[in-house]
């Protein structure tokens, strides 16, 4: 009994290692209580004091100590690592050992920016903390996509040889939000058909039938699908050849244009949605068009997922834009009354339209519930980590 009590009070450290950053959060999965969080940036960059991820962990330890959290005294339960790409290998969180690290590393061709950084972070943390380490994959929730949804119409040999398929990303968030929506509605997730719209800097949509993902907008990489802060989302695949042949761009330049210089930024000059909204209000036509394209693409996916699901119980907005932009939510619902989709303006704009708690924003009795449900990827990773080491 006492052991059990102790166990549930012990925190999990969640780490998200990027190529030049390390985000961390120390929290208790059962209560959600966060005792510390932060981010260390510019790792390995010229002029930075933080040479690598091992140094970043030392910086984290020192920062926490300065804030009164002594990691040597904290009875850490486990470390949960966010890993972007699980490729075809990982459909669930996994306890990390040398073989798992090697497999994550071997998936680097699929996520050249992300997986090598995750491996560096994992290796540094394993050397630093003698507790179980768990990898939680951004792709895992979408391993259930049926073959007709996950397969590109490419030569099968080529696709199979190189593991080219649609994987989907933001899975931890889509899973967490779909479960939280079921809680909000007081219904089992198995009974609900949901469309989840994760709209942050990166944006993705998913169709979830009874808690199981059947479609999502991202693909082999996080570039496919919706318009994002700096990513184009869907373009004609023929664009790449056009840009190479007609404009003379190299593959790397094309990659940079589509990932870093497109989306809202490419269209309007800003990628922050707050700034975009201000410019729309000021009558900026480029900003207006960017907003309209963003909503148009969103509508496109919602329409497709309505058809795939056949019946939709809930459409759910989450992440920075989804939780905070009443304008986007209203624009999506506009004209969809005939499909049973609408938002109540008072509910949508409550608290300035910024939601830190889950709430229904459709009118009572609507055939489709429209809701805002805050995502919490750290909590989701901490819970999955705790489940695995329990
Ligand atoms: P990330 O994908 O980096 O986790 P977030 O989920 O934090 O991103 O979302 C970031 C986006 O949310 C930015 O475009 C930001 O402008 C937008 N955002 C944050 N607050 C608001 C707000 N009050 N109104 C509109 N957009 C907002």
């Amino acid at each position: 009994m006492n052991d059990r009590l102790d166990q549930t009070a012990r925190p999990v450290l969640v780490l998200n290692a990027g190529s030049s950053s390390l985000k961390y959060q120390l929290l208790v999965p059962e209560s959600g209580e966060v005792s510390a969080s932060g981010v260390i940036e510019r790792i390995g960059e010229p002029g930075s004091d933080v040479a690598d991820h091992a140094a970043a962990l030392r910086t984290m330890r020192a920062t926490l100590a300065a804030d009164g959290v002594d990691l040597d005294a904290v009875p850490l339960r486990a470390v949960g690592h966010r890993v972007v790409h699980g490729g075809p290998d990982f459909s669930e969180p996994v306890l990390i050992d040398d073989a798992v690290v090697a497999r994550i590393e071997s998936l680097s061709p699929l996520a050249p920016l992300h997986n090598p950084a995750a491996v560096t972070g994992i290796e540094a943390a394993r050397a630093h903390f003698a507790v179980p380490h768990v990898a939680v994959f951004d792709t895992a929730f979408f391993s259930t996509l049926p073959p007709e949804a996950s397969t590109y119409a490419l030569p099968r040999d080529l696709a199979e040889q190189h593991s080219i398929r649609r994987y989907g990303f933001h899975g931890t968030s889509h899973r967490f939000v779909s479960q939280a929506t079921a809680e909000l509605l007081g219904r089992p997730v198995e009974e609900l058909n949901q469309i989840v719209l994760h709209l942050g800097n990166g944006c993705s949509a998913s169709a979830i039938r009874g808690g199981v993902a059947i479609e999502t907008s991202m693909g082999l990489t996080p570039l496919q699908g919706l318009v994002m802060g700096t990513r184009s989302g869907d373009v004609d695949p023929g664009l790449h050849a056009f840009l190479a042949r007609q404009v003379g761009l190299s593959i790397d330049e094309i990659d940079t244009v589509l990932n870093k210089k497109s989306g809202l930024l490419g269209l309007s000059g800003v990628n922050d949605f707050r700034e975009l909204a201000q410019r729309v209000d000021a009558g900026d036509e480029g900003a207006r068009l960017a907003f309209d394209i963003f909503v148009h693409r969103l509508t496109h996916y919602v329409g497709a997922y309505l058809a795939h699901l056949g019946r939709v119980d809930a459409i759910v907005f989450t992440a920075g834009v989804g939780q905070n932009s009443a304008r986007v939510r209203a624009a999506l619902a506009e004209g969809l009354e005939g499909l049973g989709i609408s938002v109540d303006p008072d509910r949508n704009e409550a608290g300035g339209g910024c939601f830190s708690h889950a709430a229904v924003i459709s009118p009572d009795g609507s055939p489709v519930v429209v809701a805002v449900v805050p995502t919490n990827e750290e909590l989701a990773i901490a819970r999955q980590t705790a489940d695995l080491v329990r």
Side-chain angles (χ1 to χ4, degrees), residues 27-250:
L27 73 167
V28 177
E30 287 76 13
S31 65
E33 187 197 332
V34 178
S35 39
S37 70
V39 55
I40 294 153
E41 289 173 307
R42 303 190 60 231
I43 298 170
E45 287 181 6
S48 167
D49 301 334
V50 191
D52 53 23
H53 283 81
L57 286 172
R58 289 193 293 274
T59 305
M60 175 188 80
R61 186 181 277 277
T63 310
L64 290 178
D67 289 344
V69 180
D70 177 4
L71 273 183
D72 290 320
V74 168
L76 202 60
R77 204 187 311 181
V79 181
H81 297 267
R82 174 175 184 248
V83 180
V84 166
H85 219 306
D89 298 3
F90 297 105
S91 56
E92 285 183 1
V94 42
L95 209 52
I96 294 173
D97 58 18
D98 291 344
V100 166
V101 176
R103 275 162 79 197
I104 294 172
E105 193 158 31
S106 76
L107 295 169
S108 292
L110 288 171
L113 293 178
H114 294 111
N115 275 34
V119 167
T120 315
I122 288 170
E123 292 290 45
R126 284 176 84 205
H128 213 92
F129 299 105
V131 294
H133 290 251
V134 171
V136 178
F137 300 91
D138 232 25
T139 47
F141 183 59
F142 296 117
S143 64
T144 54
L145 295 196
E148 63 273 22
S150 65
T151 311
Y152 289 113
L154 294 171
R156 289 188 69 173
D157 293 353
L158 180 70
E160 276 165 22
Q161 198 182 340
H162 298 282
S163 303
I164 301 169
R165 47 160 284 187
R166 298 188 51 235
Y167 290 98
F169 299 86
H170 291 153
T172 304
S173 174
H174 284 268
R175 179 178 186 269
F176 178 86
V177 167
S178 57
Q179 290 172 348
T181 304
E183 278 171 37
L184 173 71
L185 302 183
R187 293 178 61 187
V189 74
E190 292 76 18
E191 280 179 11
L192 295 175
N193 286 356
Q194 305 186 41
I195 297 174
V196 175
L197 305 172
H198 176 111
L199 311 177
N201 281 314
C203 300
S204 59
S206 67
I208 303 172
R209 178 181 285 141
V212 177
I214 63 158
E215 249 298 356
T216 192
S217 57
M218 286 177 166
L220 174 73
T221 74
L223 184 54
Q224 197 180 354
L226 301 174
V227 175
M228 316 187 202
T230 64
R231 292 180 218 147
S232 62
D234 295 335
V235 292
D236 182 339
L239 177 66
H240 298 70
F242 182 91
L243 290 174
R245 293 192 191 117
Q246 306 301 322
V247 188
L249 299 188
S250 69

Side-chain angles (χ1 to χ4, degrees), residues 313 337 340-342 344 347 360-370:
D313 301 293
E337 296 82 6
I341 299 164
S342 62
D344 176 293
R347 289 182 177 180
V360 171
I361 58 167
S362 47
D364 290 340
S366 273
V368 177
V369 170
V370 181

